[in-house]
Amino acid sequence: MPTAQITALGTYTPPNLLTNADLEKLVDTTNEWILERTGIHTRHIAPPEMATSDMAAEAAKLLLARRGIAPTDLEAIIVCTVTPDMFFPSTACLVQDRIGAKGAWGFDLIAACSGFVYGLTTAANLIMAGTHKKVLVIGADTMSRIINYKDRATCVLFGDGAGAMLVEAAEDGAPGFIGFHNEIDGSGGDFLKMPAGGSRCPSSHETIDREMHYVHQEGQQVFKYAVRKMEEACRKVLQKHNVSADQVILIPHQANRRIITAAAEKLGLDPSRVMINIDHFGNTTAATIPLATADAIAEGRLKRGDTVLFAAVGAGFTVGANLWRWTC
Ligand code: UT7
């Protein structure tokens, strides 16, 4: 069976920044509250003319340049997002056209904050099935478009960004993808959702008036679930593949600093092995894991040959943990 490796990484964040000081002017909040309760001080926000496919295409172009391959070498493109440019065509189609990946197929994957982890699992399995050699996985979200900047409980949390990883069939046959534990639990769907705009509740003047086109979250419910399930998913994948927690670098979804530190403590991980960069990006939903990976490499915390554990919990609920040997 072919093995799957991550061979390149590209990211993009828009230049405009939204700081805690800016948010203090918009809602009844303070820099101290935001920092203490979330760990965030800055988020990147896309300018009005920029949509998810624009950021995704920038991340993809950087990745292609770094890997030194042509866009036409890509066989499939998976865009993980909850903020597509529009319902259809898919953002994958828009990105494919923008970067000139003629001949590729692809699709959008909706798993909210677990999107990138599910995208990696899917790409790895396409490679291991022997049907693909190069699959591009992109996590991209323009959360600022679905956030209510009058709701202090959500507007302080989110930012915009994109990140991409290339999953390839390994030329040397060495393993990259080790395994996964993913699960969904739809019983938690009401705790984090965007209620309007779909077939259940199409957009109307009423849905706009009732602010149903924005993210609605029961923060404490999501928090408790996220800590419990992030630890559990990590533990399950580690046990399944006989890897001990102290052998891995954990690159978790960045939703709240306290969620990450609580889950990491329960796993018995030394903080030096846990990547946290929520302070300068906030929660960029499907983009947090590639953005945190890029920072982990830049800081020298993730090196070729390390065993890396990507883990996320998100709306749905969706839960995912992927174990990889880092090969890029
Ligand atoms: O990535 C997708 C998954 N999402 C998550 O994982 C998010 C999970 N949840 C969280 O990160 C946290 O629950 C939040 C950061 C959203 C909220 O933190 P919390 O410690 O759970 O606060 P809380 O909701 O229990 O609220 C405590 C108090 C409330 O005031 P009262 O009722 O005690 O008077 C809130 O109204 O904090 C208040 N509050 C704020 N105060 C200042 C809520 N948001 C703010 C704010 N500034 N921005």
Side-chain angles (χ1 to χ4, degrees), residues 4 117 120-121 124-125 128 175-182 233 236-238 240-241 243 307-310 320-325:
V117 174
L120 285 180
T121 309
N125 280 282
M128 292 187 306
F177 184 62
I178 300 169
F180 70 100
H181 175 86
N182 297 345
K236 281 190 174 165
V237 74
L238 289 169
K240 194 152 112 191
H241 297 280
V243 175
T307 303
V308 59
L309 178 56
F310 298 118
N322 272 212
L323 204 50
W324 290 76
R325 179 75 29 79

Side-chain angles (χ1 to χ4, degrees), residues 281-294:
F281 289 134
N283 181 351
T284 55
T285 303
T288 62
I289 285 180
L291 289 174
T293 304

Side-chain angles (χ1 to χ4, degrees), residues 208-227:
I208 302 286
D209 290 343
R210 293 174 62 194
E211 301 185 329
M212 294 166 72
H213 55 302
Y214 291 129
V215 170
H216 289 246
Q217 175 170 244
E218 304 273 340
Q220 281 194 13
Q221 299 289 343
V222 179
F223 188 100
K224 281 185 260 175
Y225 187 86
V227 173

Side-chain angles (χ1 to χ4, degrees), residues 245-248 250 263-271 273-274 309:
D246 59 10
Q247 288 175 284
V248 301
L250 174 65
E265 257 173 46
K266 282 167 178 269
L267 285 164
L269 279 174
D270 187 276
R273 294 192 156 270
V274 183
L309 178 56

Side-chain angles (χ1 to χ4, degrees), residues 6 30 42 58 63 79 131 146 162 165 177 210 296:
I6 295 168
T30 60
T42 308
E58 289 306 314
L63 174 149
V79 178
T131 54
I146 59 168
M165 291 188 196
F177 184 62
R210 293 174 62 194

Side-chain angles (χ1 to χ4, degrees), residues 27-30 33-34 37-38 112-114 151-158 192 217-224 226-227 253-259 283-285 288 313-315 317:
V27 289
D28 180 15
T29 191
T30 60
W33 191 96
I34 301 171
R37 307 308 293 167
T38 73
C113 301
S114 307
D151 174 14
R152 69 177 182 173
T154 52
C155 74
V156 301
L157 302 173
F158 294 95
L192 180 50
Q217 175 170 244
E218 304 273 340
Q220 281 194 13
Q221 299 289 343
V222 179
F223 188 100
K224 281 185 260 175
V227 173
H253 168 56
Q254 312 281 314
N256 186 317
R257 173 181 279 275
R258 290 185 295 134
I259 292 176
N283 181 351
T284 55
T285 303
T288 62
V313 177
F317 288 121

